[in-house]
């Protein structure tokens, strides 16, 4: 856990620096897009929870469907995370 | 400090590095020269554990890089030719990030980090974002961060790129001083003057093979006692017969 924190720490510092040290012209842009992003992700969370609750209520296999769906989601995002940086040089995956 | 034996790197049928043996004693400034595409960066990447050799082994300070990777890496600092720096971090935050990777104590990072940034003459911008740094300042930051965990081996790929004459002089001085204190410096460079000035020993690589090793004087002697090291290098790498460029421009 500590090692993971060490690796993601610069990303957290960058977020902090973006908030505390934006250039004057960027202040409005930062505020606008941060609010927009927050609203987007809150909306996405709300829609996902509502969808999963509705699915889970379907007896008798609703919960199984929910589990499978979440597994697919994790797999998809994890694959994107792993392979995204190799999109231009796929041969580097094997070097 | 470095004992590389029978290093080979192949990309399909192409052999980038062909059975290289490198033995670098502690406390030396060791130059690694060669023309473009000779295999310098590939060799360096294998020496620092960024690339798996097709054949051969690398021992760093007696530790097998393949078996004891983390401990071997903890003993070395690496300055790549195209380093990546987080643009939206300050210089000191970047030092804290690098020090954290080597599990250094926060107070030590702050103190030693500041001293190193002062040594590289960028302490006055240590709390400013890297995005505002010039190319030379970034290069100095990378060098300072590579020395932060007090490595016993410093591997440098093209150290003088982007440095002004003052910066280059400073870096040469720091490398010599580090070597005097027992740190081994292994550097690849195209700046032959730098190699001639500060390297105790030099290996020249061409088409993936080491073609000559020795002191500057020994290399000059082996090439026929040429006066300038540039001529020696061109003679050894067979690049002395350049084409007549005037033919292209006058036609």
């Amino acid at each position: 856990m500590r090692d993971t924190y060490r690796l993601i720490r610069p990303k957290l510092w960058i977020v902090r620096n973006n908030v505390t040290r934006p250039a004057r012209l960027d202040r409005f842009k930062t505020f606008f897009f941060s609010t927009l992003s927050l609203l987007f992700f809150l909306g996405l969370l709300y829609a996902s929870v509502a969808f999963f609750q509705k699915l889970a209520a379907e007896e008798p296999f609703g919960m199984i469907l929910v589990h499978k769906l979440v597994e697919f989601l994790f797999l998809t995002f994890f694959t994107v995370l792993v392979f995204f940086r190799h999109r231009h040089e796929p041969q580097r995956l094997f070097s | 400090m470095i004992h590389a034996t029978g290093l080979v790197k192949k990309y399909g049928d192409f052999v980038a590095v062909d059975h290289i043996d490198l033995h670098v004693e502690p406390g030396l400034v060791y130059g690694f020269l060669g023309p473009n595409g000779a295999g310098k960066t590939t060799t360096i990447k294998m020496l620092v554990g960024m690339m798996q050799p097709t054949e051969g082994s690398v021992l760093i300070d007696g530790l097998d890089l393949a078996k004891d990777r983390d401990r071997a890496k903890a003993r070395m600092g690496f300055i790549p030719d195209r380093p990546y720096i987080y643009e939206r971090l300050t210089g000191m935050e970047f030092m804290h990030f690098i020090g954290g990777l080597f599990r250094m104590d926060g107070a030590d990072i702050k103190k030693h980090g500041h001293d190193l940034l002062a040594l590289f003459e960028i302490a006055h911008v240590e709390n400013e974002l890297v995005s505002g740094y010039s190319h030379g300042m970034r290069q100095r930051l990378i060098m300072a961060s590579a020395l932060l965990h007090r490595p016993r081996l410093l591997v440098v790929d093209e150290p003088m790129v982007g440095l002004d004459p003052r910066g280059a002089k400073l870096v040469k001085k720091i490398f010599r001083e580090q070597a005097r204190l027992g740190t081994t410096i292994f550097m690849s460079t195209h700046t032959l003057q730098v190699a001639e000035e500060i390297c105790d020993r030099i290996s020249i690589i061409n088409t993936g093979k080491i073609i000559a090793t020795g002191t500057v004087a020994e290399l000059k002697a082996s090439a026929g006692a040429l006066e300038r090291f540039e001529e020696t290098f061109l003679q050894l790498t067979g690049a002395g017969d350049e084409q007549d460029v005037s033919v292209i421009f006058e036609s």
Side-chain angles (χ1 to χ4, degrees), chain B residues 201-235:
Chain B
R201 283 183 78 76
I202 289 171
S203 279
I204 298 178
I205 181 174
N206 196 15
T207 58
K209 289 180 179 166
I210 301 273
I211 53 168
T213 298
T215 62
V216 172
E218 286 167 357
L219 292 176
K220 278 181 178 176
S222 70
L226 296 167
E227 196 178 316
R228 291 171 58 214
F229 186 54
E230 186 185 22
E231 290 170 340
T232 307
F233 176 80
L234 294 173
Q235 171 96 6

Side-chain angles (χ1 to χ4, degrees), chain B residues 120 122 133-141 161-164:
Chain B
F120 281 94
I122 51 170
Y133 285 21
S134 68
H135 185 73
M137 287 159 93
R138 289 170 193 223
Q139 189 72 0
R140 289 172 189 224
L141 175 62
V161 175
L163 291 176
D164 59 14

Side-chain angles (χ1 to χ4, degrees), chain A residues 11-22, chain B residues 89-90 93:
Chain A
K11 297 286 183 191
L12 301 176
W13 289 339
I14 287 169
V15 172
R16 187 191 62 196
N17 288 342
N18 283 341
V19 173
T20 58
R21 294 169 178 246
Chain B
L89 291 184
T90 67
E93 282 170 346

Side-chain angles (χ1 to χ4, degrees), chain B residues 14-16 34-42 190 205-208:
Chain B
F14 176 68
V15 184
N36 291 331
K40 296 189 298 294
T41 300
T42 306
H190 285 298
I205 181 174
N206 196 15
T207 58

Side-chain angles (χ1 to χ4, degrees), chain A residues 3 6 16-18 21, chain B residues 88 93 96-97 100 103 127:
Chain A
D3 286 343
R6 279 196 186 102
R16 187 191 62 196
N17 288 342
N18 283 341
R21 294 169 178 246
Chain B
R88 298 291 296 171
E93 282 170 346
H96 274 276
F97 169 55
R103 294 179 170 79
N127 292 317

Side-chain angles (χ1 to χ4, degrees), chain B residues 7-221:
Chain B
L7 272 190
V8 177
K9 184 68 190 178
K10 289 181 185 170
Y11 298 100
D13 292 335
F14 176 68
V15 184
V17 174
D18 192 2
H19 293 93
I20 275 184
D21 293 317
L22 273 170
H23 302 289
V24 182
E25 297 304 316
L28 288 186
V29 179
Y30 199 99
F32 194 52
L33 312 182
N36 291 331
K40 296 189 298 294
T41 300
T42 306
T43 306
I44 284 180
K45 281 184 176 172
M46 288 191 283
L47 293 181
V48 298
M50 281 178 70
M51 192 182 269
Q52 197 81 13
T54 312
E55 283 174 40
S57 65
V58 179
L59 296 183
I60 301 292
D61 203 12
L63 298 167
D64 190 333
L65 199 55
K67 293 173 189 158
D68 220 342
R69 179 174 288 245
D70 288 351
R71 281 177 66 207
K73 280 188 171 183
R75 296 183 186 198
M76 64 170 107
F78 175 46
I79 303 168
D81 57 342
R82 278 177 290 179
Y84 178 81
I85 314 183
Y86 288 106
E87 295 265 327
R88 298 291 296 171
L89 291 184
T90 67
M92 186 47 93
E93 282 170 346
F94 186 73
M95 295 294 267
H96 274 276
F97 169 55
I98 298 295
L101 294 180
F102 288 101
R103 294 179 170 79
M104 286 176 71
D105 173 57
D108 188 26
I109 297 173
K110 199 172 176 183
K111 168 80 176 63
H112 191 47
H114 176 78
D115 291 346
L116 282 169
L117 293 176
L119 179 67
F120 281 94
E121 300 175 345
I122 51 170
H124 61 290
V125 288
E126 70 179 27
N127 292 317
E128 288 179 25
L129 295 180
V130 173
S131 55
Y133 285 21
S134 68
H135 185 73
M137 287 159 93
R138 289 170 193 223
Q139 189 72 0
R140 289 172 189 224
L141 175 62
I142 287 290
M143 289 193 186
S145 67
L147 289 169
L148 184 64
H149 64 291
R150 302 174 181 90
R152 295 162 79 166
L153 166 67
L154 185 65
V155 180
V156 196
D157 198 356
E158 288 296 344
M160 304 303 170
V161 175
L163 291 176
D164 59 14
R166 185 185 163 88
K169 189 178 175 187
L170 177 70
V171 167
K172 284 188 275 185
K173 209 168 152 185
I174 291 169
F175 282 179
R176 281 300 343 161
E177 181 60 16
Q178 284 286 318
R180 192 184 66 79
L181 296 170
T183 306
T184 310
I185 315 280
F186 184 87
M187 57 179 242
S188 90
T189 181
H190 285 298
T191 321
L192 299 178
Q193 192 194 343
V194 172
E196 193 173 5
E197 268 180 56
I198 65 169
C199 290
D200 299 305
R201 283 183 78 76
I202 289 171
S203 279
I204 298 178
I205 181 174
N206 196 15
T207 58
K209 289 180 179 166
I210 301 273
I211 53 168
T213 298
T215 62
V216 172
E218 286 167 357
L219 292 176
K220 278 181 178 176

